[in-house]
Amino acid sequence: MSKPVLRFAPSPNGALHLGHALSALFSHDMARAMGARFLIRIEDIDIARCRAEYEARMLSDLAWLGLEWEQPVRRQSEHFETYEQSLRKLDAMGLLYPCFASRKEIAAHATPGQIDPDGAPLYPGLHKNLTQEEVQRRRDAGEPFALRLDMEKAIALARGQSGKALTFDELDPESGNIETGAADPARWGDAVIARKEAPASYHLCVVVDDALQGITHVTRGRDLYAATDIHRLLQTLLGLPEPRYTHHRLILDASGRKLSKSHKDKALSSLRAEGVSPADVRRMAGLSRKFRRSFRS
Ligand code: GLU
């Protein structure tokens, strides 16, 4: 039987902090405990915010932490045509529509407090029912647009294709237990599948790449738990294999906020410069113990 394959998939739009260290070490330890292959994937489709310097620094930080990964590293910005093929498939199924709404417009119409898995206000369906003429007029005028998934149609089609409700398997690496839960993408509305500035989105690229790279176990933080609903839907529609999922705990700051690059939480490289060792980072991330037992999944 072939080996399981795990990955760590950072976006090089800032410096790695302790939260990333937890995610990277968690995935790497779990891969080792399973006798799995381990990959790093650079998720840099947001070409306005991602930079080669950040990527180089990330890889150097990860090597310093003791991670070992297979070469070559996949860089999403080099594979836009691949994502476009999947985009075309979804379009041919009649599941995509152009949405010209700006962030401001969406925020003005959204229900306050309702947030989607991308952290944006939950899309209230603006522009879903534009006439063909209106779409054409706006396109001819050069208005930028995103492509959104018609969620209702997509769910109905996926159900027809698979004959059952969507689910996902969550593996607890401590106990080895697998729990099958319902995936409920309907609650996230018409997700963005291609952005104005790139012919792809996180949701599309992540499912395409996980399948292409043969990822058997997706390990990532609980902040991406909600996104799994959308990923299972896309996997079903595109006929991609279903990986297992493990969503690990997050590191929160004193105010209960998740650490983030944009809040400039302390970079690993700064900790390193202050004399903190990789073993200290493990302790600080609450990972002083490696996964002891080897488990099958
Ligand atoms: N690139 C995503 C991030 O940095 C992670 C995606 C994933 O693991 O599915 O948050």
Side-chain angles (χ1 to χ4, degrees):
M1 234 181 73
S2 50
K3 286 183 176 183
V5 189
L6 276 69
R7 48 67 163 186
F8 174 59
S11 296
N13 53 14
L16 289 187
H17 54 63
L18 203 56
H20 298 106
L22 165 68
S23 197
L25 289 165
F26 181 98
S27 306
H28 193 255
D29 288 356
M30 187 164 149
R32 288 288 175 269
M34 294 171 77
R37 294 169 50 208
F38 182 73
L39 313 180
I40 286 183
R41 180 168 75 226
I42 299 294
E43 300 209 327
D44 59 348
I45 55 163
D46 184 353
I47 39 188
R49 292 174 61 220
C50 293
R51 293 210 214 126
E53 306 90 88
Y54 290 141
E55 179 192 316
R57 235 168 91 187
M58 280 184 170
L59 294 176
S60 132
D61 286 345
L62 294 172
W64 171 74
L65 279 177
L67 266 68
E68 287 171 16
W69 58 90
E70 290 182 13
Q71 297 293 342
V73 164
R74 183 175 175 89
R75 198 172 288 117
Q76 290 188 326
S77 60
E78 293 169 358
H79 299 278
F80 280 120
E81 319 85 74
T82 307
Y83 311 127
E84 225 168 329
Q85 280 171 20
S86 298
L87 192 67
R88 274 202 290 270
K89 270 195 202 164
L90 295 171
D91 198 27
M93 294 177 198
L95 299 178
L96 302 180
Y97 68 90
C99 168
F100 300 88
S102 64
R103 273 170 206 268
K104 225 168 141 185
E105 222 178 310
I106 294 171
H109 289 85
T111 307
Q114 289 191 352
I115 300 295
D116 73 10
D118 297 326
L122 191 63
Y123 179 67
L126 299 170
H127 296 187
K128 187 167 185 170
N129 298 311
L130 293 186
T131 60
Q132 290 278 27
E133 295 75 47
E134 177 72 357
V135 168
Q136 202 52 53
R137 188 188 63 72
R138 287 177 179 251
R139 288 181 83 148
D140 291 347
E143 272 191 52
F145 61 88
L147 288 173
R148 288 186 179 268
L149 188 68
D150 183 329
M151 190 53 88
E152 216 176 307
K153 248 190 187 174
I155 292 172
L157 189 66
R159 193 179 278 261
Q161 278 176 354
S162 69
K164 55 186 174 75
L166 282 179
T167 58
F168 68 98
D169 287 346
E170 180 80 15
L171 165 70
D172 172 4
E174 296 286 335
S175 63
N177 288 340
I178 294 170
E179 215 170 284
T180 302
D184 180 16
R187 62 193 166 137
W188 305 125
D190 294 348
V192 171
I193 300 299
R195 299 206 164 270
K196 294 175 184 176
E197 50 300 331
S201 68
Y202 159 62
H203 302 303
L204 183 68
C205 298
V206 84
V207 297
V208 168
D209 281 351
D210 283 339
L212 268 175
Q213 296 191 290
I215 304 297
T216 55
H217 294 73
V218 170
T219 50
R220 59 188 181 196
R222 283 199 193 135
D223 52 330
L224 291 167
Y225 202 80
T228 307
D229 292 342
I230 300 172
H231 300 172
R232 287 292 301 119
L233 175 61
L234 291 176
Q235 285 157 357
T236 307
L237 291 167
L238 294 168
L240 305 175
E242 175 184 357
R244 294 229 151 102
Y245 288 89
T246 296
H247 293 93
H248 59 72
R249 68 184 166 80
L250 301 174
I251 300 182
L252 304 177
D253 69 7
S255 65
R257 179 178 61 75
K258 179 178 87 103
L259 299 188
S260 86
K261 287 177 268 208
S262 47
H263 283 92
K264 302 232 177 341
D265 286 301
K266 204 155 204 176
L268 276 185
S269 48
S270 317
L271 293 173
R272 188 173 161 184
E274 285 169 16
V276 167
S277 72
D280 296 331
V281 172
R282 275 189 176 276
R283 267 191 296 279
M284 291 161 74
L287 276 172
S288 44
R289 225 161 37 95
K290 290 198 182 183
F291 291 103
R292 287 258 164 77
R293 50 198 230 89
S294 61
F295 58 90
R296 296 181 8 153
S297 52

